[in-house]
Amino acid sequence: MDVNGTRFHLLLGRDDWVGAHGPAAGSEWADGSLALLRLPIVFPARRAEAPPAQDDRRGAGRDRFGHWYWIGPDRRTILARSHHDRRAVRFWPPEAPPPGQGRAPEFAPAAAPPAPATVELRGLAVTRDHYLVAGTLDPAGLLVFDLTAGGPPVALRWPDGAAFAPWEIAAAPDGGAWVLDRANRRLWAIDRFFRVRAPAPLAGPAPGAPDFVSAAGRVHCAPPAAHAVVPITTDAAIDVRAVDDPVAVDALCDGSAIVLGRDALLGGPMLHHFSAEGVHTPYPLGAELSPPGVLAELPHAHDLAFVAGEGCSRHDVRGTLYLVSADGNQSFALAVDGPADALRLAFDPSFYPMRRFGGRALVAAGGEAWYDSGDRFVSLLSYPRPNYRREAVLRLPARGAGVGDERAFDGREPGCVWHRLFLDACIPPEASVTVDSRAADSVAELAALPWQEEPAPYLRSHGPELPFREPPAAEPAEHAGTWELLFQAARGRYLQLRLTLRGNGRTTPRLHGLRVYYPRFSYLARYLPAVWREDPASASFLDRFLANVEGTFTEVEGRIAGAQALFDTGTVPAEFLEWLAGWLGATLDAAWDERKRRFFLANALAMYASRGTREGLVRALRLALEERVDPHLFGGCACGREGEESAARPRFGVRVVERFLARAAPGVAYGDVSDLAGPGTTTAALPWSPAQGADPLHARWRAWLAGRYGSVEALNQAWGTSFPSLDSRSIRLAATLRPGGQGDDWSRFLREGLGFTYRPPDAAELPLWRDFLAGRHRTPEALNQAWGRTGTSAYGSFDAVPFPTELPAGGNELGDWIAFVSVVVPMHRAAHRFTVLVPVAPGDGVEAQRRRRDLAQRIALLEKPAHTVVETRLYWAALRVGEARLGTDTLLGQGSRFTALELGRGELAAGHLAWTEPWNVRGRTVVGRDPVAVRPQPRGTPARWT
C-alpha cells in the first residue's frame, strides 16, 4: 500500500509466475526469472560428412599427472603423450632401440617381451590407483600396466568357458573398473585388485557398532557392502540383454554403472543404470525432459561420459552426463541429481561443439570431459550461442490445480479502476513485452470479454516505485530495471492480464516481479470540481493525465513517509551506510563488505559502551580480522577468557593475555608461545616458608655457589673476596642487587636455584615498598612492634623505611620482604600490561601474517585503555606438549608450526613440501613406508617413455 491507500497484487517467485500447471508453452523458469524457452542448438551435418561408426571408437584415459594414453589406429598398440609435450609416442609394445646405438642405460624400466601380432585391443581406462587397464580380444582378457612402478603388463586371461569380448572399460571411483561386453551383452565388475566381483553382496553377520561416530551419533563413513570375489564364469557378470544396442559405459560416483543404449520405441538414446548388485533401472530420454522430446527426436547417441559435480557421493549422485550425437559434431548435456536408483535428469541446452572428433573417445578426467580430436585431447566446453523461442504467451494470474480453474486479480470493490502495472524485468532492445488486459465485476464474465491492448511499458529512470527498494535484476543497467505502464480502460472488480514475450531467437525478456496497483487515486475526483467530470471522454483523458502527476508526487510522498527505513540497519540502502555511520561519528572500513557494515552499525551502541574494556578490544579485533562475523559476537561472552565456553568465541580466536592474570604461570599456558619462562616458573620448588628463617636460604645459596665454582679459591677470584671456605657463614644471600660478579651470580641464583619467585625491586619501586608496609601495618608503631624494633632502630614514619641490604633473619620482617618481592613486585610490574594474540592459519604466508599482525596492532592501540601498554603477537594453536587443553581449541593433525613451502616466499626452517605422493597410493610398495626387497635388474634393457 502506498501513501494514498492504493494497494497492489504481487507476483514474485516461481509459484506465482508458473502456477500448478508449469510454465506456459514457449517459456521457462530459470535463474529466478521467467523467460522464453531456451532451445538446444543442433549442429547440422554436412552432406558429404559420414557419421562415425561404432568401430571407430578406441579407448582412452588420463592419469593423475595429466598424461594421456589411447589405443592406436592399428588396435594393437597403446600410444601416449605427456601433458607438456604435443608429440605422441608408443607406450606399448616398447620400440626397439635403433641399431648401432650401443648398450642401453644400466638403470632403465623393465621392458615387456615382444607382443604377439594377433593381440587386438579394445577399451582402455586409467584407474584411481594409477593402473592402466586395456582389454584384449584374442586371447580374451585384460592387460594391466602399473604406471607408478613401470615394467611389463600383467595379462589377466579369461577362461575358455566364459565368453569375453571387451568393448569399453570405465574406471570406477573405488579403484576398480567396469567392462562392457557388447557382443555377449554382459557387464563385468572388476575390483581394485582386478578380481571379478559377484553381482550380489556377501551374506554375513550384521555389522556391529562403528568405532568412531559423531557427537550426535551419526556415522559419517558407512562402509560399503562387501562383494564376493568369485571365479571367472558367465554367472559372475551382469546380464545386460535388456539393453537395446549397448554402446558405452561409465561409472557414477557411487560406484554403479550407467550404460548407453537405444530406445526401442522412440528410436533415440536411452540410459540404463546398473548397481553393483546388478539391479537394472532404465531411464528413457523422452517427453519428461525439458524441452519435451528433444533427445527422443535425435538419432542414436554415439558415446557418453559422466563428470561428477561438487558434493557427489554414494548417497547423492551429482554431476553432468554428456551424450555424443550420432553425427559426432556435438555433445548434449544432462544434469544428474539424486540417488543412483532414482536419478533426476534435466536437459542442459548449452552448445557443446566437437571439432574433428571422428568418434574416437570421450573421457571424463580431472572434473572435465575431454574428446579425442586427432590424437589431441581437447576439453569439452560450452559455446556461448543462445537460442530461444521467439514468442510465448502468459495468462496472469496463473491457473490453479483444478480443471478450468479461472483466476483473477481481485480489486475488492465493484467498478474498480485499475491503476498501474510495474514489471521488474530485463527487456533487451530486440525483445519486447506486450500487455493486454480485461476486467469485469465477476470472474464468469471475463472469459467472454475481448483483450484490450495496453500501452508499451517504459523503463523508469529512477528505479522502483517502492521507497528505498533496490532493483533485483543483475542484467545490464540500460535494459534492466522497473518497467511501468498506466492502465487505460481496465474497470471492474476482477482483472486478468495477458503478457506476450517476444524475441529474435538470440535474446529474451526476463521477468522477475510484477505489481498491479488498484484502485486509482484520482486527483480529478478528489481535488477538482464536479464540472470537470461531466463529459465522460474528457474526464477519462484528464483522469489519466493527472495520474501521471499523481505517480510522481506519490513516490516523493512515499519516500518522506518511509524515511524511518534510512535509520534501520536492515533496510537502509547500501549507499547510505556511510551516511548512517556519520551519525555515530564512525568511519566504516573500506575493506568491509555490506554484511559486516550492517552488523557493525546494528551493534554500534554496544561496541562503544564496551570500548576500553577487554571485551570491547576483542570485539574490535574480531570485526577487523574475521571474514565472517559471528552473529553471537554481541549476544554472549566474547571476551575470550581462558576456561570459558562460549559460542561467540571461534576456534583459535583472538586472545588477550593480561600480565596480571598470568603472574602465577608462564604465558605459554595462556597461548603466548614466545613466553616460555614467565612469572612463577623456577626450578624445583623449595619447601620453605618465612617462619623457618633465612638460614635455609643462605645454605641453599652456598650450595649453589659450591656447585658453580667448585672451590673457594675460584669463588674469591671471581668475586674479589677472601672467604675461608664455601661453608663459611659469612657467605649470605643478599636482599638486593650487589655490584660486580656477585650481582650476576645473585641474579642467576634467583632465576635458577632459589625455588620460588623473587623479583628484586629497583630504586623507583621504593614508594611501592613503603605503601605496602603502610597498608599491612597501618601505623609505624605497629610496624616496629611486629618487627621487634625499639629505641634508635625504630622507625618514626613509613617514609623512613629503606630497602633491606641484607636478607632479614626471620620473623615478620622476613615475611613482609618475601611477600613484597614474590607477590607485590611481580604484580606491579605486570599490571596494566597485556598481550594480544592473533591467530593465523598454518597455510598463511609470511606477508599475510605480517599484515594481519600490523592491522591488529593498530586496532589494539586505538581500542586499549589510555593507561595500559599493549603488545601484539601471532600464534598458531593452543595445543602444546606440557600445556595441552582438550576442548574447542584442540586440533589434531599436521603440526601447526610448519606450513607448505611457497617458492620465493616461504621459510625453509618452518615449511614442508605440500605434495604427499606417493604416501597415499595404495596397492603398491612405497619406499620409506613398506619393506623393499632388492632384486637384480636385467642389463641392456632398452629405455622407454613412462
Side-chain angles (χ1 to χ4, degrees):
M1 181 186 296
D2 60 16
V3 293
N4 294 325
T6 304
R7 303 174 181 272
F8 63 84
H9 289 284
L10 172 66
L11 296 185
L12 184 67
R14 187 183 188 279
D15 295 339
D16 293 342
W17 282 102
V18 172
H21 295 280
S27 66
E28 67 175 351
W29 179 265
D31 300 329
S33 61
L34 190 72
L36 291 172
L37 179 64
R38 187 178 178 185
L39 301 176
I41 297 177
V42 180
F43 194 82
R46 293 175 296 180
R47 292 183 179 180
E49 181 181 12
Q54 288 297 332
D55 289 337
D56 295 333
R57 297 162 56 90
R58 60 189 186 190
R62 193 185 76 164
D63 63 15
R64 64 166 64 100
F65 303 110
H67 308 321
W68 285 97
Y69 308 86
W70 67 94
I71 298 176
D74 58 356
R75 302 195 183 282
R76 286 173 170 80
T77 59
I78 298 177
L79 304 179
R81 185 176 65 239
S82 173
H83 70 280
H84 59 269
D85 191 2
R86 294 185 177 182
R87 184 176 60 90
V89 298
R90 193 166 76 175
F91 175 78
W92 184 87
E95 299 179 3
Q101 189 178 4
R103 194 175 69 176
E106 190 168 334
F107 296 95
T118 59
V119 173
E120 182 179 353
L121 302 176
R122 273 289 188 180
L124 183 146
V126 178
T127 68
R128 190 193 66 177
D129 294 336
H130 220 226
Y131 288 97
L132 186 148
V133 185
T136 61
L137 294 181
D138 188 14
L142 300 175
L143 290 179
V144 180
F145 298 82
D146 190 336
L147 298 180
T148 299
V154 176
L156 304 177
R157 303 295 175 83
W158 252 243
D160 296 336
F164 181 66
W167 172 259
E168 187 176 23
I169 303 176
D174 60 353
W178 289 95
V179 182
L180 175 63
D181 185 347
R182 185 187 183 198
N184 300 298
R185 300 293 183 91
R186 296 189 183 97
L187 184 62
W188 299 82
I190 310 297
D191 67 5
R192 57 186 294 265
F193 300 106
F194 304 102
R195 301 172 301 186
V196 175
R197 295 186 304 185
L202 280 172
D211 293 333
F212 296 97
V213 296
S214 65
R218 296 188 300 270
V219 181
H220 295 286
C221 299
H227 287 260
V229 177
V230 297
I232 302 177
T233 61
T234 304
D235 297 335
I238 299 175
D239 189 356
V240 294
R241 284 179 295 181
V243 181
D244 185 16
D245 192 16
V247 295
V249 65
D250 206 346
L252 302 181
C253 47
D254 68 329
S256 59
I258 193 82
V259 178
L260 174 63
R262 182 193 300 271
D263 193 330
L265 297 177
L266 301 178
M270 186 171 181
L271 299 177
H272 300 264
H273 174 261
F274 290 92
S275 65
E277 292 78 20
V279 179
H280 175 215
T281 306
Y283 291 96
L285 303 180
E288 68 277 3
L289 293 181
S290 176
V294 169
L295 293 183
E297 299 174 0
L298 299 176
H300 187 25
H302 179 78
D303 200 355
L304 91 163
F306 174 76
V307 178
E310 184 178 358
C312 191
S313 64
R314 293 193 299 113
H315 306 288
D316 189 9
V317 177
R318 297 180 183 178
T320 305
L321 195 64
Y322 296 94
L323 301 178
V324 181
S325 61
D327 55 18
N329 289 326
Q330 69 181 106
S331 286
F332 297 96
L334 294 173
V336 180
D337 186 17
D341 56 350
L343 294 176
R344 294 182 295 270
L345 304 177
F347 182 73
D348 181 6
S350 300
F351 181 43
Y352 293 91
M354 304 177 73
R355 182 175 179 269
R356 297 176 59 190
F357 171 59
R360 288 178 286 270
L362 180 68
V363 182
E368 296 182 78
W370 305 76
Y371 67 94
D372 188 346
S373 177
D375 291 347
R376 292 186 59 190
F377 286 85
V378 181
S379 179
L380 184 63
L381 301 176
S382 63
Y383 184 77
R385 188 175 174 180
N387 185 23
Y388 298 97
R389 295 274 189 188
R390 292 183 176 269
E391 183 176 304
V393 179
L394 313 178
R395 278 271 307 271
L396 298 177
R399 293 180 181 272
V403 178
D405 184 7
E406 290 290 336
R407 292 188 176 184
F409 297 111
D410 188 357
R412 299 189 179 185
E413 60 183 27
C416 174
V417 179
W418 294 87
H419 186 29
R420 272 189 173 86
L421 173 71
F422 293 92
L423 272 176
D424 294 330
C426 175
I427 307 177
E430 297 185 6
S432 65
V433 176
T434 302
V435 180
D436 299 323
S437 67
R438 60 187 182 188
D441 285 337
S442 66
V443 179
E445 298 177 17
L446 289 174
L449 294 178
W451 292 98
Q452 298 182 2
E453 184 178 357
E454 299 291 349
Y458 71 94
L459 180 63
R460 294 168 54 92
S461 60
H462 43 281
E465 84 286 1
L466 301 176
F468 312 115
R469 182 178 180 271
E470 296 290 336
E475 304 290 342
E478 62 270 17
H479 308 314
T482 301
W483 301 72
E484 177 184 4
L485 68 85
L486 181 71
F487 287 113
Q488 300 298 302
R491 181 184 294 271
R493 176 174 176 176
Y494 298 100
L495 173 74
Q496 287 182 344
L497 299 176
R498 184 177 69 181
L499 272 62
T500 305
L501 281 64
R502 294 186 177 91
N504 60 358
R506 298 183 302 273
T507 60
T508 175
R510 295 188 177 275
L511 310 182
H512 179 76
L514 180 144
R515 293 177 295 281
V516 182
Y517 278 83
Y518 70 95
R520 177 173 294 164
F521 183 82
S522 176
Y523 278 8
L524 175 64
R526 294 294 184 103
Y527 302 126
L528 294 181
V531 67
W532 294 87
R533 301 189 297 274
E534 291 182 354
D535 183 26
S538 61
S540 176
F541 170 78
L542 183 58
D543 189 26
R544 286 181 282 117
F545 177 79
L546 293 178
N548 296 319
V549 181
E550 181 270 340
T552 303
F553 288 166
T554 300
E555 183 177 348
V556 175
E557 294 169 1
R559 288 181 176 271
I560 296 175
Q564 68 273 9
L566 297 177
F567 299 94
D568 189 338
T569 59
T571 59
V572 59
E575 62 267 22
F576 294 122
L577 290 175
E578 290 281 358
W579 169 81
L580 185 59
W583 285 63
L584 303 173
T587 302
L588 301 179
D589 194 335
W592 288 358
D593 56 8
E594 181 181 343
R595 181 176 180 271
K596 185 176 287 189
R597 291 183 172 206
R598 294 184 184 274
F599 180 80
F600 168 76
L601 292 176
N603 300 276
L605 295 180
M607 188 77 183
Y608 286 137
S610 62
R611 191 172 185 180
T613 65
R614 179 191 182 108
E615 292 78 5
L617 176 61
V618 173
R619 287 167 177 167
L621 289 170
R622 289 184 57 184
L623 277 174
L625 298 177
E626 295 180 9
E627 295 183 2
R628 297 186 60 86
V629 292
D630 194 323
H632 303 287
L633 182 59
F634 291 90
C637 176
C639 56
R641 295 180 185 271
E642 294 300 321
E644 293 181 351
E645 297 294 336
S646 173
R649 190 185 72 186
R651 291 184 176 182
F652 305 140
V654 175
R655 295 174 176 272
V656 175
V657 180
E658 297 185 54
R659 301 289 178 86
F660 170 75
L661 297 177
R663 67 187 185 279
V668 70
Y670 299 92
D672 191 347
V673 296
S674 62
D675 188 6
L676 298 179
T681 58
T682 61
T683 57
L686 178 64
W688 173 86
S689 65
Q692 300 176 13
D695 288 339
L697 301 182
H698 298 316
R700 193 177 181 92
W701 167 240
R702 290 191 289 267
W704 186 85
L705 293 175
R708 174 171 174 78
Y709 289 99
S711 64
V712 69
E713 291 79 8
L715 174 64
N716 291 330
Q717 183 178 359
W719 284 14
T721 56
S722 58
F723 294 117
S725 66
L726 291 175
D727 295 334
S728 175
R729 289 190 170 273
S730 57
I731 303 178
R732 302 174 63 84
L733 180 65
T736 54
L737 181 64
R738 299 290 180 87
Q742 296 186 33
D744 296 339
D745 289 341
W746 180 78
S747 300
R748 186 173 181 180
F749 172 73
L750 295 182
R751 296 193 308 269
E752 301 178 358
L754 181 58
F756 60 88
T757 300
Y758 191 107
R759 291 297 175 88
D762 52 29
E765 293 172 319
L766 181 58
L768 181 64
W769 164 243
R770 292 168 176 169
D771 292 340
F772 168 70
L773 295 177
R776 187 167 237 192
H777 297 282
R778 302 297 183 183
T779 63
E781 292 76 12
L783 172 67
N784 293 328
Q785 183 179 0
W787 285 11
R789 290 183 174 269
T790 59
T792 58
S793 63
Y795 297 114
S797 66
F798 288 108
D799 293 335
V801 181
F803 285 142
T805 56
E806 298 290 341
L807 198 64
N812 293 329
E813 185 175 359
L814 177 62
D816 290 345
W817 177 249
I818 294 300
F820 177 71
V821 297
S822 298
V823 178
V824 178
V825 174
M827 183 175 61
H828 174 73
R829 292 180 180 179
H832 314 306
R833 289 170 172 83
F834 63 93
T835 302
V836 174
L837 300 176
V838 180
V840 292
D844 292 344
V846 178
E847 289 298 327
Q849 294 182 11
R850 184 178 295 112
R851 290 194 300 268
R852 190 175 180 86
R853 182 191 59 194
D854 294 343
L855 176 60
Q857 179 70 19
R858 292 196 299 271
I859 296 175
L861 291 176
L862 292 174
E863 297 293 331
K864 74 176 184 65
H867 65 284
T868 60
V869 178
V870 62
E871 181 184 12
T872 305
R873 297 180 182 178
L874 303 176
Y875 82 101
W876 288 266
L879 180 60
R880 290 178 54 86
V881 176
E883 294 290 345
R885 295 184 311 280
L886 297 178
T888 58
D889 296 324
T890 302
L891 286 183
L892 301 178
Q894 197 173 37
S896 60
R897 302 294 183 86
F898 294 90
T899 60
L901 285 177
E902 189 174 354
L903 186 61
R905 302 181 66 181
E907 297 179 359
L908 184 61
H912 62 82
L913 295 179
W915 187 250
T916 59
E917 292 285 8
W919 292 91
N920 61 347
V921 177
R922 299 178 299 171
R924 66 194 66 240
T925 301
V926 176
V927 177
R929 187 192 69 182
D930 305 319
V932 179
V934 180
R935 294 179 295 180
Q937 297 292 330
R939 302 176 67 89
T941 303
R944 63 174 176 85
W945 182 92
T946 56

